[in-house]
């Protein structure tokens, strides 16, 4: 179910959304001439006739309303949509910047963020997991071990395990944050962590740590689930911190450049 605070957006072009924003931000009615000029300031060159057609479409959708010869004003629905669009645009920009991991310090920042939310997700997973959820986690843990044994994609198995715990938490806010810190665009960074842990001789240690987390969730013990997840992520952080010292930071930066 959609958030009632978020309007259901009709299909609007980039030009129409920008035009709606112009009308919504104006204290006075906006006519085609002013709107055309402001669109031009934003890099969109249109004739007044084209702008008038766009304004008419916004009228038809109930997002703006004519104020006679003065121009258009925004309706309540239009103002909600304009506000929602601006907020979404800001969030998308912030998300893109946050996920642009380029060096060892940013990799550590990601791990610190994961530690904060994954320990809580593990707690809720222990409270809310069903028998089917436990079965799915067992499949992932077994698949992870098998991938390590036969040289399969253990990295992907590990990521799926972490994502599944967020799903099982059934906490929408935690799930949304999990989607960010475990975004698919960050999967190449797992290879960087593999190189780091491989150099320390701990590459295969995640599998038994996942088994410990699974055991706590299966037992319905939120304290143990948090503790075992915290131990797992703390170990990754400690290894990344060791690798990020002195000349190691340059090596990590180079690895990130090669994988992303």
């Amino acid at each position: 179910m959609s958030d009632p605070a978020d309007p259901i957006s009709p299909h609007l072009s980039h030009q129409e959304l920008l035009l709606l924003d112009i009308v919504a931000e104006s204290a006075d009615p906006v006519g085609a001439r002013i709107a055309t000029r402001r669109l031009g300031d934003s890099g969109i060159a249109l004739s007044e006739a084209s702008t008038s057609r766009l304004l008419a479409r916004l009228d038809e959708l109930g997002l703006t309303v004519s104020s006679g010869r003065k121009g258009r004003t925004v309706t309540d629905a239009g103002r909600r949509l304009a506000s929602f669009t601006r907020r979404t645009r800001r969030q998308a920009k912030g998300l893109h910047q946050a996920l642009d991991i380029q060096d060892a310090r940013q990799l550590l920042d990601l791990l610190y963020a994961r530690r904060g939310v994954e320990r809580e997700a593990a707690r809720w997973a222990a409270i809310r997991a069903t028998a089917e959820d436990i079965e799915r986690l067992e499949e992932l843990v077994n698949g992870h071990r098998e991938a390590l044994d036969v040289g399969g994609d253990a990295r992907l198995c590990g990521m799926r395990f972490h994502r599944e715990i967020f799903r099982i938490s059934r906490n929408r806010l935690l799930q949304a944050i999990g989607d960010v810190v475990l975004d698919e665009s960050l999967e190449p960074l797992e290879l960087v962590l593999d190189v780091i842990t491989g150099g320390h001789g701990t590459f295969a240690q995640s599998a038994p740590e996942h088994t410990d987390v699974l055991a706590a969730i299966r037992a319905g013990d939120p304290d143990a689930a948090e503790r075992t997840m915290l131990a797992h992520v703390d170990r990754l952080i400690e290894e990344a911190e060791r690798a990020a010292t002195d000349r190691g930071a340059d090596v990590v930066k180079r690895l990130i450049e090669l994988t992303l």
Side-chain angles (χ1 to χ4, degrees), residues 35-201:
T36 299
R37 186 172 67 247
R38 293 182 183 173
L39 285 171
D41 292 341
S42 299
I44 297 177
L46 294 177
S47 66
E48 284 189 31
S50 295
T51 302
S52 293
R53 286 192 290 271
L54 293 180
L55 286 168
R57 171 164 159 74
L58 295 181
D59 287 349
E60 293 171 2
L61 293 170
L63 301 174
T64 57
V65 62
S66 175
S67 295
R69 302 173 69 89
K70 295 180 180 180
R72 263 81 170 184
T73 56
V74 70
T75 64
D76 288 342
R79 191 177 302 281
R80 287 195 300 271
L81 179 56
S83 177
F84 175 67
T85 301
R86 285 194 297 272
R87 185 169 71 249
T88 301
R89 192 181 301 125
R90 288 195 301 269
Q91 290 171 342
K93 181 180 179 181
L95 179 59
H96 174 75
Q97 293 172 338
L99 298 184
D100 186 22
I101 309 296
Q102 297 184 4
D103 57 35
R105 174 49 54 189
Q106 290 172 328
L107 174 61
L108 280 167
D109 286 344
L110 173 64
L111 290 173
Y112 297 145
R114 283 184 55 178
R115 175 171 61 186
V117 294
E118 291 207 57
R119 62 191 296 179
E120 193 65 28
R123 286 190 65 86
W124 282 106
I127 295 169
R128 294 176 169 170
T130 65
E132 290 77 13
D133 294 331
I134 298 299
E135 183 177 350
R136 173 61 178 158
L137 286 177
E138 290 173 343
E139 291 174 356
L140 291 172
V141 167
N142 291 335
H144 192 182
R145 283 197 295 258
E146 291 172 5
L148 287 170
D149 291 340
V150 302
D153 195 346
R155 183 170 57 256
L156 181 58
C157 292
M159 290 291 284
R160 286 174 175 168
F161 177 81
H162 285 268
R163 290 180 181 131
E164 187 68 11
I165 287 177
F166 277 102
R167 186 194 67 78
I168 294 172
S169 76
R170 293 178 173 83
N171 181 311
R172 291 177 61 189
L173 184 55
L174 282 176
Q175 289 170 338
I177 300 172
D179 287 343
V180 174
V181 298
L182 296 177
D183 187 82
E184 289 182 358
S185 67
L186 299 175
E187 286 183 5
L189 294 176
E190 293 295 306
L191 178 59
V192 176
L193 290 174
D194 285 351
V195 172
I196 291 173
T197 57
H200 297 160

Side-chain angles (χ1 to χ4, degrees), residues 9-56:
S9 172
H11 180 69
L12 297 180
S13 67
H14 173 66
Q15 295 174 344
E16 290 166 335
L17 285 170
L18 184 55
L19 182 57
L20 176 62
D21 194 49
I22 290 170
V23 178
E25 287 291 285
S26 177
D28 300 311
V30 176
R33 181 176 300 178
I34 293 175
T36 299
R37 186 172 67 247
R38 293 182 183 173
L39 285 171
D41 292 341
S42 299
I44 297 177
L46 294 177
S47 66
E48 284 189 31
S50 295
T51 302
S52 293
R53 286 192 290 271
L54 293 180
L55 286 168

